[in-house]
Amino acid sequence: MTLTLHDNSGILSEEKLNELTRKNLKYLDSGNPPEWLLKNYDETLEDCEWLSSSVRQNADVLIVIGVGGSNRAARAVYDCFGSKSGVEIEWVGLNYSAREMNSLLKRIDRKRMYVDLIAKNFRTLEPGLWFRALRTQLRKEYGDEYSYHIFCTGTPGSDLKELCYNHDFCFLEFPTDVCGRYSVFTPVALFPLAVAGFDIREMVNGACAMRKTLQDTSESNPALRLASARNYLYENGYKMEMLSFFDPSLERFSKWWTQLFAESEGKDGKGLYPVVGSFTEDLHSIGQYIQQGEPILFETFLNVPSSEDRKIDLTDIPDGFEYLDGKSVNDVNNAAFRATLETHSKRFPCFEIDVPRLDEYTFGELFYFFMYTCCLSARILGVNPFDQPGVESYKEKTIASLKANI
Ligand code: PA5
């Protein structure tokens, strides 16, 4: 993975970026990267591999109940490739939609199913509500044996652990010191991914390699470079960062990225607003604003070569696209990427993150890279990256209003 600055706008040069990064070197010593981003992973990998093997043999579907950090990382990988083991994953507990609930219950009827409830403390209402519906379904299908079809991932000492103990649900540990959006290398993401047949060891290997890269204590450290640029641009009126990519299979990853930065930095009246550009489709909507609207954003491009290609069909009629003859679909996508980068970087600084291919290893690298960048960036901004008081207040108020109506 490499990070390159493209700037033809005159706002940020390599020299300026070196200078900014040098000033921020002290943030590398302030307890970052947090130990817990990758903690006890040998044990976690063994547990997840072992527990997932019986689910893989006996299930058609795993229903993951969890919201926010409890599902976004695993879903980013899953949605990119689909199931590798044949066990499909359904992602629920994301809303209070009766329509979605009815539709899921219809879809999974008569299927061999397991449930993985992921909730740090089991106080969040969305997972609580969906877990009830799924328990009813499991009881209907499996009678008294239903509890063997339930896995729960929560913190030690939580109500959820007690519930598991009292009702014979298998309990997996959500480490107490890791908050949801940083939990990718815990059973939160590793267990469902193992069920879906992903090589979770490779994902952790990628993360370990990235951890090593980011131990660089010079101004070449790519996480510190991006974190420094983010803060400099924010201070200079660029209030949004857009994560752009030319492969729609990264859309779920961009949702994980959005949550990571929005919840970690958007507080105390500060923080860059994270937005996403799924190109080339979005070039035909927000592309106009990017090019000629108010100059309030800069862009980070994720450049990943497509795993597939296809020669463009020769035309049967004169259709005006003769310049496509002899080219492939990827040739066109790459031309669009280079053209976009060139035009956008004339307006504002753009970063290009090149990833050689998309697989478990590179996903591990990317997750680790962005989590560490986010920790550094929040520290430079002067906010705590590990809390989300705004989200908590919405949760508490909803629950209080429901209790008041009892
Ligand atoms: O990053 C976080 O900690 C949050 O986004 C949580 O993951 C999210 O709010 C869900 O919380 P819980 O796991 O407690 O249900």
Side-chain angles (χ1 to χ4, degrees), residues 40-56:
N40 300 338
Y41 55 82
D42 275 332
E43 215 177 287
T44 305
L45 286 169
E46 268 171 37
D47 288 351
C48 291
E49 283 167 346
W50 181 69
L51 287 168
S52 63
S53 67
S54 77
V55 181
R56 277 199 303 275

Side-chain angles (χ1 to χ4, degrees), residues 49-333:
E49 283 167 346
W50 181 69
L51 287 168
S52 63
S53 67
S54 77
V55 181
R56 277 199 303 275
Q57 280 160 28
N58 297 306
D60 299 315
V61 60
L62 174 73
I63 299 133
V64 174
I65 308 174
V67 69
S70 292
N71 90 0
R72 287 198 173 194
R75 196 170 179 187
V77 180
Y78 180 86
D79 277 15
C80 188
F81 304 101
S83 174
K84 290 190 171 181
S85 65
V87 181
E88 300 296 329
I89 300 193
E90 295 276 2
W91 308 92
V92 304
L94 307 168
N95 49 45
Y96 307 115
S97 163
R99 195 169 146 271
E100 288 220 351
M101 199 176 273
N102 290 337
S103 152
L104 171 87
L105 295 174
K106 246 187 238 155
R107 271 201 311 280
I108 61 174
D109 194 35
R110 305 260 150 247
K111 288 199 174 159
R112 298 177 305 154
M113 64 182 126
Y114 285 77
V115 164
D116 180 16
L117 166 75
I118 308 172
K120 201 166 170 162
N121 302 309
F122 199 44
R123 304 247 163 79
T124 308
L125 193 48
E126 289 92 337
L129 181 85
W130 280 78
F131 192 33
R132 276 204 186 176
L134 267 308
R135 289 202 305 277
T136 307
Q137 184 80 1
L138 286 174
R139 270 189 196 276
K140 198 173 97 188
E141 210 57 44
Y142 299 108
D144 289 345
E145 307 269 286
Y146 89 103
S147 63
Y148 304 126
H149 290 256
I150 296 179
F151 292 85
C152 294
T153 309
T155 43
S158 63
D159 295 347
L160 186 57
K161 179 148 193 194
E162 202 180 322
L163 198 80
C164 292
Y165 181 76
N166 292 336
H167 299 279
D168 264 348
F169 306 149
C170 179
F171 183 77
L172 286 132
E173 199 173 305
F174 193 143
T176 323
D177 48 357
V178 182
C179 58
R181 57 195 174 278
Y182 295 92
S183 66
V184 43
F185 302 115
T186 75
V188 169
L190 297 180
F191 176 68
L193 285 175
V195 170
F198 288 93
D199 189 341
I200 54 175
R201 240 164 236 279
E202 265 305 277
M203 206 163 106
V204 168
N205 286 341
C208 289
M210 183 52 71
R211 177 172 62 178
K212 200 148 182 254
T213 304
L214 300 183
Q215 275 159 3
D216 180 348
T217 53
S218 77
E219 73 256 34
S220 312
N221 184 314
L224 189 62
R225 285 176 88 69
L226 186 54
S228 302
R230 296 178 88 252
N231 278 278
Y232 174 75
L233 293 168
Y234 176 68
E235 281 162 19
N236 284 278
Y238 296 87
K239 301 292 183 197
M240 295 184 178
E241 180 185 18
M242 177 174 276
L243 184 74
S244 303
F245 43 87
F246 282 74
D247 187 334
S249 64
L250 286 165
E251 277 177 15
R252 275 284 159 195
F253 180 80
S254 70
K255 277 190 165 265
W256 171 83
W257 173 90
T258 301
Q259 186 207 351
L260 176 70
F261 282 95
E263 276 193 343
S264 299
E265 290 196 314
K267 54 195 70 158
D268 303 343
K270 302 196 260 191
L272 277 164
Y273 187 80
V275 287
V276 166
S278 181
F279 296 160
T280 54
E281 184 181 356
D282 286 342
L283 287 173
H284 299 268
S285 61
I286 48 175
Q288 169 59 34
Y289 191 101
I290 298 170
Q291 205 53 54
Q292 294 185 328
E294 206 182 336
I296 47 169
L297 67 81
F298 67 95
E299 218 167 354
T300 299
F301 286 90
L302 258 189
N303 182 29
V304 181
S306 170
S307 57
E308 291 180 29
D309 200 4
R310 189 190 148 85
K311 277 262 159 243
I312 294 172
D313 300 81
L314 291 175
T315 188
D316 52 340
I317 49 169
D319 61 1
F321 293 102
E322 284 69 25
Y323 54 86
L324 293 179
D325 291 350
K327 301 203 168 54
S328 75
V329 175
N330 284 344
D331 291 336
V332 180
N333 207 26

